[in-house]
Amino acid sequence: MNRIRTFILVFLLWTLVGVVSKGVFLLMYHSLFAEASFSELSQVIWYGLRLDIAVVGYVTIIPALLLLLTLWSRRKLIHWFWNGYFMLAAFLSSLAYIANLGLYGYWGFPLDNTPLLYVKTSPADAMASMTWWQLILAPVVIILTTFAIYKLAAPLYPKGRYEMKQKTVSSVLLLLLTASLLLPIRGGVGTGTNHTGSVYFSTDIRLNHAAVNPIFSFIEAVVHQEEIGSKYRFMPADEADALFQDMTYTALRKDTTHFAQQPNVILIVLESFSDSIMHVKGVTPHLLQLQQEGLSFTQFYANSFRTDRALVSIHSALPAQPTMSVMDMPRKSTSLPSIAQQLGKHGYHTAFYYGGDVNYSNMRSYFVGTGFQQIVSDADFPAKLHTGKWGVADGAVYDRMLSDIKADHSGKPFFRSVMTESSHEPFDVPNYQKIKDNEIFNAFSYADHCLGQFISELKKQPCWKNTIVAIVPDHLGAYPDKADNYQWWRFKVPFILLGGALPKTGQCHTVGSQIDIAATLLGMLGIDHSAFLYSKDLLDAKAPHFAFFTFPDAMGIVTDNGRAIYDNTSGTTHKEEGTDTKQLVKKSKAYLQKLYDDLDKR
């Protein structure tokens, strides 16, 4: 069984390499982590193991197959290939780890594809930041590290021959072990797969960076590489600047309410709800009732067709992009402003709740990196509450948030955001059969019921009189089936504000979208929102109000006077209504161009 032993030793060796690299990183940049506790530094190693063993999973595949071959052949070629492979793997690993150590001090983010971009466009600039001694020392350290890893790995090549029965048993075991490498590579059996953000655990972004495996982050960046700065070039920069300037307004309105104490804020993002589902009789009675109780925005739109885009639009006021998701780019997503970050500066406790896997679509890195001090996800609930494919149903998540609110005696105001999931296919809601002949409507009814119950219980709490609740869906989901993207109603969603601290109720007919939530909430609280370039306070008449949304590869714009949908692939306007739609299309082009300029710089 020495082949099985060798397999395990190879796996452990490469895991050790990843762990040691983190220890060296923490020592080299000890001044950056001077205020970090021993517990936090230990968590760098612990959380970082997820991506370390993901890389190990990839690295171990070829040695595992070679071990299988050695059972049936003793040719020297296999031994030469073993040595050659480990020499190459040791060199590339050393190059990545040493490059990460050297470049982090200059760039402030883990190794990604940026060095390739520099080498490709300007090799001289790639070396410009390095001193002469670094240029000499780096290759020496890489060579020594390569040699050290190789000298540990190469001698593991197995010796000895097996009888036929042993060969068969060992072959089966090795095949099973090789297949099991899919688990660390993927990141387990949950719905979320490995991302750079899977190891984010701290509100200190530098601790998160220390936990990232640089080989993984490099590969991820190469796979997701997109020439952001060269996309959507519709017009000269100065023309785009002028049009864009007329579409933004970040000043704080002067007629904000003066609260005796800072109000709490609860933000509820409803999975897949839309204006359309609310018109199906009997499905959303609680949401319709809440519309009547609070301040309802009647001309409100989602910015996208996907949850990952919507969450960033809602929390960071960043317009959605047609063909990419910023949430999949931790380096960029964590550079964004956010409601949580801004409220945190004003003494708020911030928490995000989600019944699913928070590693899905890089959610963890985004929410931790943009100011949420607490993340509650499926891992924080007992197994008996994991009742659906996506994890914990809405009722239990609301119960947990309500329990946390009741237990909060800190005296600090809080901002709690929740992303629901029960109204997502496969619509497996627990013990609820109100609409028996339609599982989709039944799931939405369940989600609506849970929302109503939560608000009803929240009203009984002492904090209700000093709380503002914001309710908004992420995007239209399962109803109507096969919705046409080139329809206005496809993006229309409700937006409701309520709570004891709400200054006024009624209806607001101002055109807006999810990116306007940040400025509207912060403006209501009298808190500066100038960091949110794209967000407009819906209650400020001075701001230029419109809704902008995207879907693959198209964009739409809606104002009081007109609306248009433009297809970037065909270069044609598919839908246009109202006056001066050509100018609207031009404005939307300038808006998208400036958005990509912004993202390219981050």
Side-chain angles (χ1 to χ4, degrees), residues 181-389:
L181 292 174
L182 180 63
L183 289 175
I185 288 172
R186 188 181 183 279
V189 296
T191 54
T193 54
N194 278 327
H195 296 279
T196 302
S198 300
V199 300
Y200 280 32
F201 68 95
S202 173
T203 54
D204 185 340
I205 194 66
R206 293 172 299 188
L207 289 171
N208 296 326
H209 288 169
V212 170
N213 184 289
I215 299 175
F216 189 95
S217 62
F218 175 81
I219 295 172
E220 182 182 67
V222 170
V223 170
H224 292 290
Q225 178 178 340
E226 193 165 346
E227 296 290 340
I228 296 174
S230 63
K231 290 183 72 69
Y232 303 116
R233 302 295 94 186
F234 297 109
M235 63 192 72
D238 56 349
E239 186 178 1
D241 290 343
L243 289 169
F244 182 72
Q245 188 172 3
D246 290 338
M247 302 174 76
T248 60
Y249 186 85
T250 59
L252 183 66
R253 59 187 171 93
K254 297 180 180 179
D255 59 337
T256 55
T257 303
H258 296 283
F259 296 98
Q261 61 183 116
Q262 292 173 307
N264 306 303
V265 180
I266 297 174
L267 176 57
I268 301 172
V269 184
L270 299 174
E271 171 66 59
S272 298
F273 275 71
S274 68
D275 186 68
S276 299
I277 195 69
M278 294 175 67
H279 287 95
V280 180
K281 187 177 180 179
V283 174
T284 62
H286 296 95
L287 195 55
L288 291 169
Q289 177 60 37
L290 294 175
Q291 268 191 330
Q292 301 300 315
E293 293 180 12
L295 177 60
S296 175
F297 295 81
T298 62
Q299 298 296 320
F300 197 81
Y301 292 81
N303 286 107
S304 180
F305 65 105
R306 286 284 305 272
T307 301
D308 52 350
R309 271 86 152 178
L311 288 173
V312 176
S313 292
I314 292 167
H315 291 86
S316 289
L318 185 80
Q321 309 87 54
T323 60
M324 71 180 203
S325 172
V326 170
M327 193 178 274
D328 281 332
M329 306 173 185
R331 177 185 159 194
K332 295 185 183 295
S333 70
T334 54
S335 73
L336 298 172
S338 77
I339 299 172
Q341 186 182 76
Q342 194 69 359
L343 292 180
K345 294 176 181 178
H346 287 76
Y348 280 71
H349 170 71
T350 58
F352 175 72
Y353 296 77
Y354 178 54
D357 183 355
V358 78
N359 290 309
Y360 183 75
S361 195
N362 253 327
M363 287 169 64
R364 178 184 293 278
S365 64
Y366 169 69
F367 284 111
V368 171
T370 55
F372 278 94
Q373 301 152 12
Q374 178 187 10
I375 304 289
V376 177
S377 65
D378 58 349
D380 299 295
F381 292 86
K384 66 179 181 180
L385 293 179
H386 291 236
T387 55
K389 174 188 174 182

Side-chain angles (χ1 to χ4, degrees), residues 64 115 129 242 464 518 573 586:
S129 297
W464 173 257
T573 303
K586 192 172 184 179

Side-chain angles (χ1 to χ4, degrees), residues 25-38:
F25 184 93
L26 291 173
L27 286 172
M28 183 170 175
Y29 291 104
H30 63 90
S31 60
L32 297 180
F33 308 109
E35 296 182 2
S37 65
F38 177 77

Side-chain angles (χ1 to χ4, degrees), residues 374-415:
Q374 178 187 10
I375 304 289
V376 177
S377 65
D378 58 349
D380 299 295
F381 292 86
K384 66 179 181 180
L385 293 179
H386 291 236
T387 55
K389 174 188 174 182
W390 290 96
V392 182
D394 291 357
V397 178
Y398 282 127
D399 287 345
R400 168 60 191 269
M401 183 161 66
L402 189 65
S403 175
D404 288 351
I405 290 171
K406 291 178 180 179
D408 185 359
H409 301 297
S410 65
K412 296 174 63 176
F414 60 75
F415 171 56

